[in-house]
Amino acid sequence: MTDGILVGAASPRSIAGSAGRPGSASETDDQWWRRAVIYQVYIRSFADGNGDGIGDLAGVRARLPYLVDLGVDAIWFTPWYVSPLADGGYDVADYRAIDPTFGSLDEAERLISEARDLGIRTIVDIVPNHVSDQHPWFQAALASEPGSPERARFWFRPGRGEAGNEMPNGWLSNFSGPAWTRTNDPDGTPGEWYLHLFSSQQPDLNWGHPDVRAEHEAVLRFWFDRGVAGVRIDSAALLVKDSALPEVPLQPGPGEHPNTDRDELHEIYRGWRAVADSYPDARILVGEIWLPDIERFAKYLRPDELHTAFNFDFMARPWDAPSLKASIDSTLAAHAPVGAPATWVLSNHDVTRPVTRYGQEDSSFAFATKRVGTPTDLELGRRRARAAALLCAALPGSLYIYQGEELGLDEVQDLPAHQLRDPMYLRSGGEDPGRDGCRVPLPWAGTSAPFGFSPAGATHEPWLRQPGRWAGLTVEAQQRDPGSMLDLYRTMLRIRRTDPALGDGPLRWLPSAPDVLAFERGDGFVCLTNFSPSPIELPAGGSLVLASAELSGARLPSDATAWLRLDRSPTRTSPSGDRRRGGDDGME
Ligand code: GLC
Ligand code: CA
């Protein structure tokens, strides 16, 4: 059915000046983020400009037209700062410089302004919970005495037990193993321990220390001054710790966890919001917040705190209508009182690719759970991923797309062991397969690796091996195919951009069978997803806008989503004025 949809070539859109589209991002549009489509670039794997097998800024600059054609409003870059790359750049050694593997600060500034000229805003990643062990602050702390001011910026503690051999407490790292590592004193004898909620190369900062606060506000200004439109805040709910460092209770009540979601965080983000609001145009704060308690989650989105946060609840759910409906409802209900828009996320650089996830019997996702060796039906997964894309794009709020999602890439589960470098894999001794499989370099063109990721004559292979089966999934191949995932995403985003019913605003559920999700946006825009095993009739009196799968007559097959526009001419509206009439038929 996608054949029926005209895909106009996207033209550059100006941020400055009104492009005249409903919801278009203009310089004066301070609300752009409420409905924005934000594309996540994992820079090491997006495009390699200089042929060393690693993605870089030159690669991104050369591919900006691709992102314009795709129709995104902003790019979020995973960390591009100087880093020893113990955790893919989430171990930052210098926030004010670009890692030389990627390019230079000067080039980043050029990229930010080139993107702006094309109508695309830039969001950078800020990692406030920890720094790299190579950061000058941590190096200074290691070189200083216990109790020194240098150590006070981190969590250094003596060990327990007579010789200090035992960890200060039993906290565990999010990457398996203990959250403490012992240091050696300058004379080589074992000394204090330091806290790291992630790898040992990522020491946690002490957010009770004034230097830590001042430095991060200065870093925000540094990037805002360079024209970035927002920051994504890494591990945003972890910064503050109970300074007594007590053990984690078995069932901590709200605000009682010693290192997660502490009440003191809100005051920190109020300070950040004041920095963002000191700029004349909107600069946004986006939180990476994994919290099961949606009410506590929404507290971060109060009007003087963060603008939005990733909605991982929806992403983690299995492919199941009642479960997804419950997630949509609780998400919207929790956001409404604070006035923040919801976000919709199907994947990111930490998560099994949706095509793989949705092709498995248990299609739910949880951080740090084993995911190898599960039978996967990629064809089914791809069908569902297409349906999920249309479903998410029709929901109220903003939308995130992780690079390669628009190509329908699957998780690469057979990478050679020597290439794996995710600390989740390494620290678990291989028990957790890690996240490298969703970070494989994008296939752009050609029929064999490096699939245009690196330029012709490149000196190195891509840093992670691309599977041969991706030959059919290159941008080049999908551009020629009107039934491709890329074509679906482009068409979907073009409609989303121009139809005022989509993006921010209310949603109204339409009556439907339990294994069908049907809702209306604006006046007569209907989104319908069929989770049932058999086709369903589309409502009469509507015209098809876009579908994720070929229809058979007026029937929507299993695992598919359709967008419809109801015919609202007076004869079709029931005498009672019940404008839902068209949506009722065939959905029970
Ligand atoms: C976030 C990032 C992840 C990183 C971790 C530690 O969860 O998304 O990639 O490993 O924080 O910084
Ligand atoms: Ca490169």
Side-chain angles (χ1 to χ4, degrees):
M1 277 320 292
T2 48
D3 307 21
I5 308 299
L6 250 182
V7 194
S11 51
R13 313 174 312 270
S14 162
I15 291 179
S18 166
R21 299 165 282 111
S24 68
S26 75
E27 191 87 40
T28 50
D29 178 10
D30 268 359
Q31 302 295 308
W32 64 272
W33 49 276
R34 297 189 68 93
R35 71 184 322 273
V37 176
I38 298 169
Y39 185 89
Q40 180 189 356
V41 168
Y42 191 80
I43 189 158
R44 287 175 77 68
S45 300
F46 186 71
D48 170 21
N50 67 353
D52 65 358
I54 299 172
D56 48 40
L57 297 180
V60 179
R61 289 173 67 200
R63 304 290 183 176
L64 285 174
Y66 170 76
L67 297 177
V68 172
D69 282 348
L70 182 58
V72 305
D73 299 302
I75 309 174
W76 147 35
F77 288 99
T78 48
W80 55 11
Y81 318 106
V82 171
S83 164
L85 295 169
D87 180 21
Y90 285 94
D91 47 322
V92 180
D94 181 355
Y95 275 107
R96 294 175 179 80
I98 300 291
D99 197 278
T101 317
F102 301 145
S104 64
L105 182 58
D106 183 58
E107 195 172 12
E109 289 180 25
R110 263 181 287 149
L111 167 53
I112 293 165
S113 84
E114 285 163 3
R116 275 178 74 88
D117 290 345
L118 292 168
I120 297 179
R121 292 176 158 93
T122 297
I123 293 174
V124 295
D125 214 315
I126 300 289
V127 190
N129 182 67
H130 44 264
V131 289
S132 161
D133 60 353
Q134 300 306 308
H135 189 283
W137 278 7
F138 193 71
Q139 287 297 312
L142 285 181
S144 305
E145 297 292 303
S148 61
E150 286 81 2
R151 290 202 172 185
R153 293 175 181 140
F154 298 91
W155 294 99
F156 278 89
R157 289 291 184 276
R160 289 180 300 182
E162 242 168 66
N165 282 339
E166 294 164 37
M167 293 181 293
N169 70 19
W171 292 3
L172 295 175
S173 157
N174 284 303
F175 291 162
S176 36
W180 294 94
T181 292
R182 194 165 193 187
T183 60
N184 283 329
D185 285 336
D187 66 3
T189 57
E192 288 189 321
W193 299 70
Y194 67 91
L195 174 70
H196 50 87
L197 291 185
F198 293 92
S199 77
S200 58
Q201 295 95 325
Q202 294 166 292
D204 278 47
L205 288 165
N206 171 11
W207 272 86
H209 196 294
D211 285 359
V212 172
R213 291 182 183 227
E215 168 65 1
H216 280 85
E217 295 193 1
V219 166
L220 290 182
R221 287 202 186 84
F222 180 88
W223 287 103
F224 286 154
D225 289 347
R226 277 158 186 77
V228 312
V231 298
R232 177 257 186 197
I233 307 166
D234 186 70
S235 303
L238 303 187
L239 280 46
V240 178
K241 280 89 190 175
D242 179 340
S243 58
L245 302 176
E247 296 300 342
V248 180
L250 269 185
Q251 280 182 316
E256 280 174 17
H257 196 290
N259 65 38
T260 305
D261 185 31
R262 309 227 11 118
D263 291 334
E264 301 90 324
L265 279 163
H266 296 284
E267 186 233 317
I268 293 171
Y269 292 131
R270 283 190 201 105
W272 288 31
R273 182 62 176 256
V275 173
D277 286 351
S278 70
Y279 288 79
D281 52 332
R283 306 300 174 102
I284 67 159
L285 308 174
V286 183
E288 188 215 11
I289 302 180
W290 298 79
L291 282 186
D293 182 338
I294 186 115
E295 311 280 325
R296 295 278 303 180
F297 171 93
K299 281 188 193 289
Y300 292 87
L301 306 179
R302 289 177 287 199
D304 59 348
E305 299 190 37
L306 310 184
H307 294 74
T308 61
F310 298 112
N311 172 9
F312 294 127
D313 182 74
F314 181 89
M315 181 190 77
R317 300 271 181 149
W319 184 248
D320 171 73
S323 174
L324 290 171
K325 184 168 196 270
S327 177
I328 294 167
D329 279 337
S330 63
T331 298
L332 296 178
H335 282 72
V338 288
T343 65
W344 305 99
V345 182
L346 285 176
S347 64
N348 65 32
H349 65 293
D350 294 327
V351 170
T352 311
R353 290 269 189 194
V355 163
T356 300
R357 229 165 61 217
Y358 290 141
Q360 298 179 345
E361 198 175 309
D362 177 3
S363 49
S364 62
F365 175 82
F367 201 76
T369 50
K370 276 219 274 216
R371 290 157 293 169
V372 271
T374 316
T376 308
D377 178 344
L378 288 182
E379 204 183 313
L380 176 68
R382 201 159 275 125
R383 270 183 82 76
R384 290 178 170 171
R386 290 173 65 94
L390 282 197
L391 168 60
C392 284
L395 289 168
S398 65
L399 181 69
Y400 283 82
I401 297 169
Y402 171 49
Q403 69 180 39
E405 187 184 309
E406 79 280 18
L407 302 177
L409 300 186
D410 48 283
E411 186 85 0
V412 183
Q413 295 176 314
D414 56 356
L415 286 165
H418 73 271
Q419 290 190 338
L420 300 176
R421 59 189 67 192
D422 180 10
M424 291 189 85
Y425 169 78
L426 299 173
R427 282 181 61 95
S428 70
E431 197 186 324
D432 186 310
R435 300 162 295 177
D436 294 300
C438 65
R439 300 174 177 180
V440 174
L442 294 191
W444 290 93
T447 51
S448 59
F451 295 116
F453 170 71
S454 294
T459 53
H460 289 78
E461 316 250 285
W463 69 284
L464 289 174
R465 192 178 71 191
Q466 301 159 303
R469 64 175 180 277
W470 282 4
L473 297 178
T474 64
V475 171
E476 185 186 51
Q478 298 202 36
Q479 242 152 3
R480 291 192 301 258
D481 175 5
S484 68
M485 185 75 108
L486 179 59
D487 191 67
L488 182 76
Y489 266 74
R490 283 184 175 163
T491 308
M492 162 186 112
L493 296 184
R494 183 175 60 74
I495 295 167
R496 194 182 191 279
R497 171 172 290 281
T498 48
D499 196 318
L502 297 176
D504 198 19
L507 163 154
R508 195 153 52 87
W509 290 110
L510 301 173
S512 71
D515 47 10
V516 172
L517 292 189
F519 58 86
E520 181 174 356
R521 302 293 320 274
D523 190 11
F525 186 102
V526 168
C527 178
L528 211 135
T529 306
N530 180 12
F531 294 79
S532 79
S534 27
I536 53 166
E537 291 293 325
L538 290 176
S543 50
L544 184 70
V545 176
L546 183 62
S548 68
E550 196 91 35
L551 300 192
S552 50
R555 286 152 68 86
L556 180 67
S558 173
D559 296 318
T561 296
W563 285 0
L564 310 166
R565 183 152 280 291
L566 297 185
D567 178 359
R568 281 288 163 69
S569 61
T571 49
R572 291 212 175 261
T573 308
S574 71
S576 65
D578 179 2
R579 309 185 103 198
R580 275 175 291 178
R581 181 184 158 273
D584 287 349
D585 301 343
M587 287 193 267
E588 301 294 340

